[in-house]
């Protein structure tokens, strides 16, 4: 899988810069600059994720933001060049002059890409509030309606800093939640920036009646799961790895370990010892095995991981892979929600999707 991605990324970069070589009116110095830019942008995502820890925070952050933003931009530049090549080769439109030694062609391409990326960035920063109202036959054991704020896929680190994280905390606190649920991928790819910038203190600013509960995601495993659990404990977050807790003697919150752990417990082993008369909430990072969730009398299931594809056309691929890549589903007495996530991986662009936080009322 990793080798395939590497081949695709290198191939896409080669195609883009091959087309730019013919598009830009070149002289010796600009040819050298173009080749150096091609090498830098191709390597930067891998350097920032693999070696970012050896540089100062601001250098690693800059490398990460530029490198991963380029990966998103690359998708649309490839699509545009493929479309233009198809139109040119079929003779549908006489585009030769715009695609060869043309400042006009470069300017038009740059304007389109810049406009699309700007719109995607603005769209990302406007978080959508999703509300789900649930009634269960078990809810009579609650002394009052239960209000939950559920989030996923924060990807904190070199891309998303403490200033942005604090804005999310304000959104959470505005809801005055009883409980906050986090369905994994809190950390992007390294714990180093979270310690350097004291993200634990920002977690401490979240105000809830019953606490913050987290099920780990695959990025916690990428970042060393043991060290991540230590960090969350210091930050006041309860980590649930194939465990369940009884909250206020009224309802259960259970969390599955991520699929990265091939020996994680089955859902039945997790839920069978519990009092079935009390509402059961299950957090699971990756949305699989919906039949098992329903069979084991879960009232509300919350997952993330997919990002809803993050940008078109990746969202179409996500829909093909997952039974539910985004949104709400009800089966029997079980309510499912797969979130697109409040954060994002890499470049901060949402095209055809939204970043969101979910407010769940159990009445």
């Amino acid at each position: 899988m990793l080798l395939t991605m590497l081949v695709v990324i290198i191939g896409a970069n080669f195609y883009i810069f091959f087309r730019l070589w013919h598009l830009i009116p070149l002289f010796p110095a600009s040819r050298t600059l173009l080749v150096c830019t091609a090498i830098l942008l191709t390597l930067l995502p891998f350097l920032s994720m693999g070696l970012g820890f050896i540089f100062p925070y601001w250098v690693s952050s800059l490398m990460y933001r530029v490198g991963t933003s380029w990966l998103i931009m690359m998708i649309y530049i490839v699509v545009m060049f493929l479309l233009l090549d198809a139109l040119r080769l079929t003779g549908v439109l006489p585009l030769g002059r715009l695609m060869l030694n043309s400042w006009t062609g470069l300017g038009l391409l740059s304007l389109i890409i810049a406009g699309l990326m700007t719109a995607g960035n603005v769209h990302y920063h406007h978080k959508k509030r999703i509300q789900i109202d649930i009634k269960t036959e078990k809810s009579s054991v609650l002394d009052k309606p239960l209000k939950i704020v559920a989030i996923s896929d924060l990807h904190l680190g070199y891309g998303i800093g403490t200033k942005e994280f604090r804005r999310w905390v304000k959104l959470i606190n505005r809801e005055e939640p009883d409980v906050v649920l986090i369905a994994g991928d809190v950390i992007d790819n390294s714990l180093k920036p979270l310690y350097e910038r004291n993200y634990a203190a920002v977690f401490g600013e979240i105000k809830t009646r019953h606490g913050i509960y987290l099920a780990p995601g695959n990025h916690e495993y990428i970042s060393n799961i043991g060290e991540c659990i230590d960090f969350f404990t210091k930050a006041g977050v309860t980590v649930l790895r194939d465990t369940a807790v009884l909250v206020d003697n009224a309802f259960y919150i259970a969390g599955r370990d991520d699929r990265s752990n091939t020996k994680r417990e089955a859902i039945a082993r997790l839920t069978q010892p519990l009092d079935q008369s009390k509402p059961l909430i299950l957090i699971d990072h990756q949305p699989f095995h919906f039949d098992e969730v329903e069979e084991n009398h879960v009232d509300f299931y919350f997952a993330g991981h997919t990002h809803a594809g993050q940008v078109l056309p990746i969202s179409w691929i996500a829909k093909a892979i997952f039974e539910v890549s985004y949104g709400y589903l009800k089966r029997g007495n079980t309510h499912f929600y797969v979130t697109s996530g409040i954060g994002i991986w890499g470049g901060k662009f949402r095209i055809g999707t939204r970043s969101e936080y979910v407010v769940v009322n159990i009445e």
Side-chain angles (χ1 to χ4, degrees):
M1 181 66 175
L2 187 61
L3 180 61
T4 302
M5 288 179 62
L6 185 63
V7 170
V8 169
I9 290 170
I10 292 173
N13 275 285
F14 178 83
Y15 175 63
I16 288 171
F17 287 99
F18 174 80
R19 297 304 301 124
L20 288 173
W21 182 277
H22 291 86
L23 175 62
I24 301 173
L26 293 171
F27 46 91
S30 62
R31 289 179 186 272
T32 302
L33 179 61
L34 185 64
V35 171
C36 291
T37 302
I39 294 171
L40 178 64
L41 289 178
T42 302
L43 295 178
L44 204 54
F46 305 103
L47 291 175
S48 66
M49 288 182 275
L51 299 175
F53 64 92
I54 69 175
F55 299 106
Y57 176 85
W58 72 270
V59 175
S60 298
S61 179
L62 179 63
M63 290 171 58
Y64 179 88
R65 290 168 189 254
V66 173
T68 57
S69 293
W70 172 248
L71 289 177
I72 304 296
M73 293 170 63
M74 190 176 69
I75 296 170
Y76 296 99
I77 298 173
V78 166
V79 169
M80 287 193 64
F81 273 136
L82 286 173
L83 179 61
L84 290 170
D85 276 337
L87 292 173
R88 178 177 60 87
L89 292 172
T90 56
V92 175
L93 291 174
L95 297 175
R97 290 185 179 180
L98 283 177
M99 296 184 67
L100 298 171
N101 300 317
S102 172
W103 289 116
T104 302
L106 178 63
L108 288 172
L109 176 68
S110 300
L111 281 173
I112 292 170
I113 295 299
L116 185 62
M117 295 300 105
T118 300
N121 180 259
V122 170
H123 206 51
Y124 159 74
H125 283 291
H126 285 76
K127 307 302 178 188
K128 186 177 181 181
R129 180 187 186 274
I130 301 294
Q131 181 169 321
I132 303 172
D133 297 318
I134 294 174
K135 291 186 178 181
T136 81
E137 58 189 28
K138 306 175 189 176
S139 60
S140 59
V141 302
L142 299 174
D143 60 356
K144 69 173 188 175
L146 179 66
K147 188 173 189 179
I148 300 166
V149 172
I151 58 176
S152 182
D153 299 278
L154 288 72
H155 290 279
L156 304 175
Y158 292 120
I160 295 174
T162 52
K163 185 177 180 180
E164 184 171 357
F165 185 25
R166 277 196 167 91
R167 290 200 295 269
W168 301 351
V169 170
K170 288 180 180 179
L171 292 175
I172 293 169
N173 289 341
R174 188 184 301 165
E175 300 293 338
E176 299 182 353
D178 296 308
V179 175
V180 170
L181 307 180
I182 307 177
D185 279 8
V186 174
I187 297 158
D188 193 60
N189 62 357
S190 172
L191 272 170
K192 184 186 175 189
L194 276 73
Y195 278 113
E196 286 183 354
R197 290 298 186 265
N198 196 15
Y199 282 74
V202 186
F203 276 102
E205 296 171 12
I206 299 175
K207 299 175 183 178
T208 76
R209 183 182 172 198
H210 297 302
I212 308 167
Y213 298 86
L214 176 147
N218 55 300
H219 276 256
E220 275 69 60
Y221 275 86
I222 291 170
S223 308
N224 188 313
I225 185 64
E227 293 179 4
C228 288
I229 291 171
D230 289 341
F231 170 80
F232 291 131
T233 301
K234 293 172 184 175
V237 178
T238 301
V239 180
L240 301 174
R241 300 176 69 195
D242 293 334
T243 54
V245 292
L246 179 61
V247 181
D248 199 31
N249 200 36
F251 62 96
Y252 290 102
I253 300 176
R256 297 201 76 192
D257 204 352
D258 186 65
R259 282 163 56 92
S260 303
N261 176 6
T262 56
K263 297 180 180 179
R264 68 174 181 170
E265 295 285 357
I267 296 175
R269 287 285 297 272
L270 178 60
T271 60
Q272 279 177 357
L274 308 181
D275 181 352
Q276 300 297 324
S277 69
K278 291 180 169 61
L280 171 58
I281 299 161
L282 178 62
I283 322 169
D284 189 4
H285 178 61
Q286 301 189 44
F288 291 99
H289 309 299
F290 282 22
D291 289 340
E292 289 183 48
V293 175
E294 181 188 357
E295 289 167 4
N296 286 281
H297 311 293
V298 173
D299 295 278
F300 177 61
Y301 171 91
F302 182 70
H305 182 64
T306 69
H307 294 217
Q310 195 159 312
V311 296
L312 287 169
I314 307 300
S315 53
W316 298 337
I317 298 173
K319 285 182 180 180
I321 293 173
F322 297 95
E323 181 179 355
V324 177
S325 65
Y326 171 70
Y328 172 81
L329 173 71
K330 185 180 180 185
R331 283 187 178 178
N333 293 319
T334 302
H335 302 261
F336 297 83
Y337 194 82
V338 179
T339 181
S340 59
I342 194 169
I344 209 161
W345 179 88
K348 295 181 181 179
F349 309 109
R350 283 279 188 180
I351 299 171
T353 67
R354 291 285 296 271
S355 287
E356 65 182 28
Y357 61 101
V358 184
V359 179
V360 185
N361 297 304
I362 301 180
E363 300 178 354

